[in-house]
Amino acid sequence: MVFSSIPFLYYFLPVVLLCYAIAPAKCKNMVLLLASLVFYAWGEPKLVLLMAVSVLLGYLFGLLIEKYRGTAKAKYCMIASVVISVGFLGYFKYADFFISNVNAATGLSLPLLKVALPIGISFYTFQIVSYLIDVYRKDVVAEKNFIHFAAYVVMFPQLIAGPIVRFQTVQEELRERTLSLDKTVEGIERFIIGLAKKVLIADLLGEFVLVMDTVPRSSAVFLWITALAYAMQIYFDFSGYSDMAIGLGKIFGFHFMENFNYPYISESITEFWRRWHISLGSWFRDYVYIPLGGNRV
C-alpha cells in the first residue's frame, strides 16, 4: 500500500483517522501501532514477523543497556544489538548481491537465494540502531512501555520512505501530545502538497522517461532532456513521500524533521548531500562518520 493509492486514500486512512480521533489519549499509540502493522502486512504479510522480532530485540536490548549502564556488559549488549540489526538488513538487502559478485569473480555458479527485500527495513533498522546507541550514550532513557517503543519504530507515515525519526525527537510526544485544528490543517496541507508532487509531477515524469527510453537516442540534447526528467522524477517522488509523511505526522501529533532542502540548487557535492535526504545524511554523520573519527581520520 502506498500513500497515493486508492485503498490508502479512500479506505485505510479515513478509518485510521476516525479510530484515532475517538480513541482515548492512552490508547492512541495502540491504534497507531495496529494501523501500522495492517499497513505493513498489506504488502508483505509474511515479513511482519521479521519486523516484530526486530522491534522486540530492540526493546529488550534497550532495557539491558540501561540496566548495565556504566559497565562492560552495556557495551557488549549495544554491540550485539547493532550487529544483529545490521545483520538482518545486510542479509535481506545484499545476500544475492554478494553471491552474484562471488560468481562473477570466481566463475562459480552458486544459486541465488532470491531473498525478498522487506519494505522499510532500512528505515526501521536505522531507527532501532540510533535508539540503542543513544541509550548507551545516555542521550535518552530506555523506553519501558513496549507499545510506545513499537509505535515509534513501525509508525506507518515514515515507514516506507522516511524521514528517519530519532527517538529523542519524539520521546515526549509518544507519552503525551496535543492535537489541534491548526496542526491538523497544516498536516493536511503538507500531505496534499506531497501527494501532488508524487501524482501530478513524479508519475508523469516517470511515464515520460519510459517513453523516451523506447525511442532511438539521436542527439546529446535528447540524452540531457531524458537525464533531467529522470532526475526531477526521483526528486519529486522522494520529496513527495517525505512531505506526505511529515503531513501525516502532524495530523497524528508528531513533528518529523525536514528531509529535503532544494538539493538541486547546491553548488557542490557536499552541499547536495546536506540538502538531499537530510535525515539519512545526519544519521550517518552522527552514528558512523563522527564515531569513526570524522575528518580527523
Side-chain angles (χ1 to χ4, degrees):
M1 191 187 308
V2 295
F3 294 159
S4 57
S5 66
I6 296 299
F8 179 84
L9 293 172
Y10 288 92
Y11 304 109
F12 177 81
L13 186 58
V15 171
V16 172
L17 292 177
L18 177 61
C19 294
Y20 190 81
I22 65 178
K26 62 181 180 180
C27 297
K28 290 190 183 298
N29 284 342
M30 175 61 77
V31 172
L32 197 55
L33 173 59
L34 293 176
S36 299
L37 292 175
V38 172
F39 177 87
Y40 194 85
W42 188 279
E44 298 193 9
K46 295 180 180 180
L47 294 175
V48 171
L49 180 60
L50 171 66
M51 185 170 66
V53 170
S54 298
V55 172
L56 180 60
L57 289 176
Y59 173 75
L60 294 176
F61 272 117
L63 296 179
L64 289 174
I65 292 171
E66 183 161 281
K67 178 181 178 180
Y68 297 117
R69 180 174 287 168
T71 68
K73 290 183 179 180
K75 184 176 183 179
Y76 297 148
C77 287
M78 186 272 292
I79 293 174
S81 63
V82 171
V83 169
I84 292 172
S85 295
V86 175
F88 283 156
L89 176 62
Y91 172 76
F92 283 96
K93 201 162 188 176
Y94 298 111
D96 283 341
F97 174 78
F98 177 77
I99 294 174
S100 297
N101 280 274
V102 169
N103 289 340
T106 63
L108 298 175
S109 299
L110 299 176
L112 298 180
L113 300 177
K114 297 182 179 179
V115 180
L117 180 64
I119 297 173
I121 187 173
S122 296
F123 293 100
Y124 70 71
T125 297
F126 288 159
Q127 291 187 180
I128 292 173
V129 169
S130 66
Y131 162 76
L132 294 170
I133 293 176
D134 285 345
V135 173
Y136 176 75
R137 292 174 175 173
K138 303 180 183 180
D139 293 334
V140 299
V141 177
E143 180 58 62
K144 306 299 189 300
N145 189 309
F146 179 74
I147 300 300
H148 290 183
F149 177 75
Y152 153 70
V153 176
V154 305
M155 200 180 303
F156 76 87
Q158 46 76 46
L159 183 61
I160 294 181
I164 299 171
V165 179
R166 302 191 193 186
F167 185 74
Q168 56 187 312
T169 65
V170 297
Q171 185 173 22
E172 294 302 322
E173 292 174 338
L174 284 167
R175 296 172 182 169
E176 183 179 359
R177 54 190 179 274
T178 56
L179 303 178
S180 66
L181 180 60
D182 290 340
K183 288 183 180 178
T184 301
V185 171
E186 289 179 10
I188 293 173
E189 290 178 349
R190 189 64 180 271
F191 182 85
I192 292 174
I193 291 173
L195 184 64
K197 284 183 177 180
K198 165 65 178 169
V199 176
L200 300 181
I201 302 179
D203 287 353
L204 293 180
L205 285 173
E207 294 180 8
F208 174 78
V209 170
L210 287 176
V211 171
M212 296 290 279
D213 198 41
T214 61
V215 299
R217 294 162 175 76
S218 57
S219 66
V221 174
F222 176 93
L223 295 175
W224 272 110
I225 292 174
T226 305
L228 290 173
Y230 183 61
M232 297 307 293
Q233 177 205 354
I234 294 174
Y235 168 72
F236 281 109
D237 190 275
F238 203 170
S239 67
Y241 268 111
S242 292
D243 286 339
M244 287 188 278
I246 293 170
L248 288 172
K250 287 187 177 182
I251 294 173
F252 291 115
F254 295 94
H255 294 83
F256 300 155
M257 71 179 299
E258 295 294 333
N259 213 22
F260 289 87
N261 183 23
Y262 305 101
Y264 287 148
I265 67 171
S266 303
E267 297 182 356
S268 66
I269 295 297
T270 302
E271 184 182 358
F272 179 84
W273 179 245
R274 289 198 300 265
R275 291 172 175 269
W276 179 280
H277 206 340
I278 299 170
S279 63
L280 179 64
S282 63
W283 191 94
F284 273 103
R285 179 196 64 207
D286 295 340
Y287 298 104
V288 179
Y289 180 67
I290 293 177
L292 290 177
N295 57 10
R296 295 173 299 167
V297 179

